[in-house]
Each structure stands twice: as C-alpha cells, then as structure tokens.
Amino acid sequence: MAQSVGIKDVARAAGVSVGTVSNVINRPDTVADETRARVQSAIDRLGYVRSESARQLRAGRSRIMGLLVLDMGNPFFVDVARGAERAAREAGLGVMVCNSAQNAAEEADYLSLFAEQRVRGVLLTPADATGRNIESFRRHGIPFVLVDRVAEGATECSVSVDDVAGGALAVRHLVDAGHRSLAYVSGPPGLNQVRDRRTGALNALAEAGLGPDALRELLTERLDVAAGRDAGARLLGLAERPTAVFCANDLLALGVLQALYAAGVTVPDDLAIVGYDDIEFAAAAAVPLTSVRQPAVTMGALAAELLLEETEQGEGRRVHEHRRVVLQPELVVRRSSLASR
C-alpha cells in the first residue's frame, strides 16, 4: 500500500523546515514569495493534503468510511448505501455518504475531502470516465473499492453486476415477446454501465438473428426521470416508432412512461417498456415496470466487507488479496412488457 505524503516530505522536497511548510499552509503572508512558491510547488508535485483529522489519528485509526455515489436521488444508490452502512456499523465504523451528481469535478472535490479527513477507506462509483480522479486519489495511499464498476487492474477490489448479461436479459425478453424494433434509452456514454447494458442488448438481438439496426439508441445526459421524459418525447417524435424500449435504469423508464401516458400512448399495448435496477418505485408505477434487478444492498455490504478486510490486514488477520466480485442480475417481469404481439 502506498504511503501518504506528510509535511516532512514536503519540507524535504522544498529544502525548507517543517515550520516553514506549516507557515505556508496556515500563514502564507508571513513567508517570502519565492519560498512560498517553492513550497507550494512541492505540495502540488507530491500531492500533499493537510490532515484535519491528524489529532484523531494520533489517538487511533479513523472510524469513518467514505461512500461516493453517482446520484443519491436514485433509490438504487440508497440501497447500496444501506448495505455498506450495515456492514460498517457491525465493524464499529460510520459512513460518510457523498453524491458526485454524475459530475467529475464534484467527484474530485469529495475525493480530496476524504483524503483531507484521512478516512479509513472509500467505496466509489466513479463519475470521471477518464480515470484521472482515481489516479490522483490513489497516491494518498487510502484503500478504496469500486462499486457498480469492474476494476480494470489488480490494484483495488470491485463489486459489480454483470451488466452485459443484464442488458441481454432485458432485450431477450422483449424479442421473445415478438418485438423486432426496439429503442435503448441510455445515459452518458462515458459510463461503463451504460455501454455494457447496450452491449448486452445487441448480443441478445444477434442471438435472434437481428442486426444492430434493430436497436435505436436515444442518448441522455443524465440518468433521472426528467431525462427519461425528454427521451420519451423524442421517442414519440420518431417517424418509425419502435414497439418496445429498454431503459438504462428505472428512473429513465419511469420518465418515459410519464411521457407516453401524457401523450395517450398505452403501455404495454402500444409500446412495451423494460427498466433496470428494480428500485422500489418500479413495482408501484401506474403500469408496474418490468426491470432487471440488481442486488444493491448486497453490493454495498460486500464492498464494505472487502474494504474492511483490506484496512484490517496486519492486525493479526490474513493477508488481503484484491478481488473482483461480479454478481448476477435477475429479470423481474411485470405488466409494462406483457402485451402479446
């Protein structure tokens, strides 16, 4: 595990005393411009973050675990947080929950906050498609586990659902019901989950002997109900309207359902809908929503357990090995996709 950068490291790199570094941080007006610039350059180069919780850490280890998700307005992530909180509480820890709002800049700010507070570790659903935020955070030496995202390397754990399989479940169900012209209401294309669900959808079409042109993709900037309503309006405006729509999550599907209902389009007789996540609202919709269920609570709990295992190694426990845990999705069929064709 990488060692976090301390004030002594900054002082050594800048060729000044620890007291001078402290003055630059706390009383910059008392330090000469040239010296202040040299110290700040060392701080930026080393990635030093002042620890606001240093006093607590001198007395013992941090009892806080960070959780940073894409959208706390999505009940899926509320369930992930419930699972993580349950596992953390059993270990005597608390959870600091933060919401990146699918924004890379906000994600970077929260990761800096976690580093500043020297949390025990972080559970992270990345918003930054470039991976730069993760690379920057990694140098602080704070363990983290990716949630709802497969780790691409061997430097951290991850807990996710097989979204390719989930996309295939959704579209295979629609094809089996007789649909041959479908739409995919997706989200930001930089999100792995969105791409993987589309890949699964195309795989299911290929299995049925249908080409990719059988799937019309409607991109959205966000994964919420408002974006779903907008996609529903665009769907209604198509010259050749598909007979079924698969949505990248349930909030989008509920928004599409609202747009269709307002336009007098009957679901599922005129257009079938399948969502993803199986949030609580899916079953309670005006037309109960068929959805691909993700075990969100289990995902959060497993991620927290992996993080605890990593942070507790060296305390008489077995050596931690990074693992990728991939859970399987389940199709839950309800009325929104049951019209006969």
Side-chain angles (χ1 to χ4, degrees), residues 110-131:
Y110 279 123
L111 289 175
S112 292
L113 174 64
F114 290 152
E116 181 179 313
Q117 296 299 321
R118 295 292 192 268
V119 296
R120 173 76 65 97
V122 174
L123 307 179
L124 170 65
T125 303
D128 177 23
T130 70

Side-chain angles (χ1 to χ4, degrees), residues 7 23 36 82 103 116-117 191 193 200 227 230 236 240 270 280 282 299 306 310 321 324 328 333:
I7 194 170
N23 285 338
R36 185 169 66 246
R82 283 175 49 216
N103 183 289
E116 181 179 313
Q117 296 299 321
L191 292 179
Q193 300 92 324
D230 174 72
L236 290 168
E240 296 183 8
D270 295 331
E280 183 178 357
M299 191 183 303
L306 286 173
E310 180 174 0
E321 294 182 1
R324 300 177 186 174
Q328 291 303 307
V333 178

Side-chain angles (χ1 to χ4, degrees), residues 17-260:
S17 68
V18 170
T20 299
V21 176
S22 178
N23 285 338
V24 169
I25 295 171
N26 298 298
R27 296 178 297 278
D29 56 316
T30 66
V31 183
D33 291 346
E34 181 181 347
T35 302
R36 185 169 66 246
R38 191 163 73 250
V39 171
Q40 190 59 54
S41 176
I43 288 173
D44 294 342
R45 186 170 67 254
L46 296 175
Y48 171 75
V49 176
R50 180 174 60 177
S51 174
E52 297 294 340
S53 55
R55 183 176 302 175
Q56 173 187 326
L57 292 179
R58 281 195 292 269
R61 306 186 65 194
S62 172
R63 297 179 58 249
I64 298 297
M65 176 187 299
L67 171 63
L68 180 55
V69 300
L70 291 177
D71 181 11
M72 280 306 293
N74 186 338
F76 166 76
F77 288 111
V78 174
D79 286 342
V80 169
R82 283 175 49 216
E85 191 273 338
R86 183 182 304 165
R89 188 175 65 247
E90 290 176 357
L93 303 183
V95 178
M96 181 191 298
V97 181
C98 298
N99 176 29
S100 71
Q102 303 174 43
N103 183 289
E106 291 193 30
E107 176 182 81
D109 289 342
Y110 279 123
L111 289 175
S112 292
L113 174 64
F114 290 152
E116 181 179 313
Q117 296 299 321
R118 295 292 192 268
V119 296
R120 173 76 65 97
V122 174
L123 307 179
L124 170 65
T125 303
D128 177 23
T130 70
R132 285 193 290 266
N133 284 345
I134 289 178
E135 287 305 312
S136 179
F137 183 70
R138 185 178 278 118
R139 64 186 178 181
H140 296 300
I142 298 174
F144 64 93
V145 174
L146 298 180
V147 184
D148 197 29
R149 164 89 172 268
V150 179
E152 297 177 358
T155 56
E156 61 270 336
C157 291
S158 66
V159 181
S160 62
V161 166
D162 188 341
D163 283 317
V164 174
L169 281 174
V171 171
R172 191 177 297 122
H173 167 68
L174 292 170
V175 169
D176 288 345
H179 297 282
R180 295 295 180 268
S181 176
L182 294 81
Y184 175 45
V185 176
S186 63
L191 292 179
N192 287 24
Q193 300 92 324
V194 168
R195 295 197 304 268
D196 287 349
R197 292 165 197 178
R198 180 179 183 273
T199 297
L202 293 174
N203 290 348
L205 291 174
E207 290 172 5
L210 299 171
D213 56 344
L215 186 72
R216 176 80 64 90
E217 183 170 7
L218 300 176
L219 293 171
T220 64
E221 294 184 357
R222 300 185 63 79
L223 292 163
D224 54 24
V225 173
R229 284 195 297 266
D230 174 72
R234 284 184 281 149
L235 186 65
L236 290 168
L238 294 177
E240 296 183 8
R241 187 185 302 167
T243 61
V245 56
F246 167 44
C247 298
N249 76 359
D250 285 342
L251 295 182
L252 289 173
L254 292 171
V256 170
L257 181 62
Q258 288 179 7
L260 298 181

